[in-house]
Amino acid sequence: MLKLKINKSIFNPVYVPYLESTTPTQLFFGGSSSGKSYFLAQRCIVDMAKGGRNYLVLRKVARDTKKTVWNEVIKALKRFKLYNHCTINKSDLTITFPNGYQMLFGGLDDRERIKGITPQKGVITDIWLEEATEFDEDDLKQIEKRLRGKSKVSKRVLLSFNPIIKTHWIYTRFFNNWDDSKNIYQSDDLLILKTTYLDNVFLTADDIKRIESETDEYYIDVYLKGNWGIMGDIIFRNWRVEDIDDLLNTVDHSCHGL
């Protein structure tokens, strides 16, 4: 049986109020290096140690899962000194806790595996979409079907992402009541928390210096300030017109696109 004593100082303070949130749909978004994934990995471990929850953690592409969110969870396990108490299957990307509950990882490029994925004990109670802007709205509809069956705990869908542009389906579906002057929206069914690098107390001075050295206005607005991009069809504005005839004469083949 796992007995986990937790000092809340290991969490970024901005996330502490949501450690035990049971809101059915939860969005954690904002600027890069704000600690979103770091926190959700920590919260997963706390949930799993308590028991009663099984997580399905997804990226759009399976190979990205192991390089990102899988590693984040593994590091969290080691920080909690639980790594050696769990069964880690690196080929199947599953983590089984001593209480029998599991974290299952995958990607939507292997849809058949996701359709048949089942924890060894109970049902899937939590689905976490990392880099959620990579997913289509239809992906979410299909994924939500995995949340079925009886459970003693409330079921949740978790989305973590950097915002991109307001025409994205996540914005049009979830942000109807969002107030840009605030960093939180909460109802009975929906929690949205916006954070930036300024909320991450674990960044070093060098980290902050590197982040603040960005000069592109779009990236500053979206990836530093965590704002949704401008409305419309234009996303990137840092382009220029040049005469590249001399360059084209040096290559055998060229491709042109927009």
Side-chain angles (χ1 to χ4, degrees), residues 46-103:
V46 174
D47 288 339
M48 299 300 296
K50 289 179 180 178
R53 292 192 177 277
N54 289 300
Y55 271 79
L56 175 58
V57 185
L58 298 172
R59 286 286 304 267
K60 178 75 170 181
V61 179
R63 68 174 179 270
D64 294 332
T65 305
K66 193 166 187 178
K67 293 183 290 185
T68 55
V69 66
W70 166 268
N71 286 336
E72 197 71 75
V73 172
I74 292 296
K75 287 189 289 185
L77 274 175
K78 291 178 178 178
R79 286 192 296 267
F80 281 115
K81 302 188 186 303
L82 291 176
Y83 183 84
N84 293 328
H85 297 281
C86 298
T87 302
I88 314 292
N89 189 320
K90 295 181 180 178
S91 22
D92 285 345
L93 294 184
T94 61
I95 301 173
T96 306
F97 282 69
N99 53 25
Y101 291 98
Q102 294 181 300
M103 294 189 70

Side-chain angles (χ1 to χ4, degrees), residues 159-209:
L159 283 69
S160 55
F161 58 95
N162 300 118
I164 45 176
I165 192 165
K166 287 184 175 180
T167 51
H168 195 279
W169 68 267
I170 290 179
Y171 185 88
T172 56
R173 175 166 176 170
F174 294 113
F175 283 76
N176 295 321
N177 297 312
W178 177 255
D179 183 346
D180 279 328
S181 67
K182 300 177 181 178
N183 73 332
I184 179 73
Y185 170 82
Q186 189 156 17
S187 66
D188 291 340
D189 301 317
L190 177 64
L191 164 67
I192 304 177
L193 179 68
K194 174 186 175 183
T195 53
T196 72
Y197 73 98
L198 296 174
D199 295 302
N200 190 345
V201 301
F202 300 115
L203 292 177
T204 67
D206 286 342
D207 292 332
I208 295 172
K209 183 178 180 181

Side-chain angles (χ1 to χ4, degrees), residues 132-178:
T133 50
E134 296 175 349
F135 293 83
D136 301 322
E137 188 169 12
D138 186 59
D139 292 334
L140 180 61
K141 293 176 182 178
Q142 295 299 318
I143 289 164
E144 286 176 326
K145 293 178 181 178
R146 308 273 70 78
L147 291 175
R148 57 175 181 247
K150 293 183 179 180
S151 169
K152 294 180 180 179
V153 298
S154 58
K155 296 175 183 175
R156 301 176 300 188
V157 175
L158 318 170
L159 283 69
S160 55
F161 58 95
N162 300 118
I164 45 176
I165 192 165
K166 287 184 175 180
T167 51
H168 195 279
W169 68 267
I170 290 179
Y171 185 88
T172 56
R173 175 166 176 170
F174 294 113
F175 283 76
N176 295 321
N177 297 312
W178 177 255

Side-chain angles (χ1 to χ4, degrees), residues 17-29:
Y18 312 104
L19 262 173
E20 298 181 0
S21 173
T22 57
T23 307
T25 302
Q26 302 183 18
L27 278 61
F28 294 87
F29 86 105

Side-chain angles (χ1 to χ4, degrees), residues 4-38:
L4 202 59
K5 291 185 178 180
I6 300 171
N7 186 330
K8 289 189 177 180
S9 66
I10 69 170
F11 300 97
N12 268 308
V14 70
Y15 296 108
V16 170
Y18 312 104
L19 262 173
E20 298 181 0
S21 173
T22 57
T23 307
T25 302
Q26 302 183 18
L27 278 61
F28 294 87
F29 86 105
S32 60
S33 301
S34 65
K36 301 179 292 294
S37 301
Y38 183 91

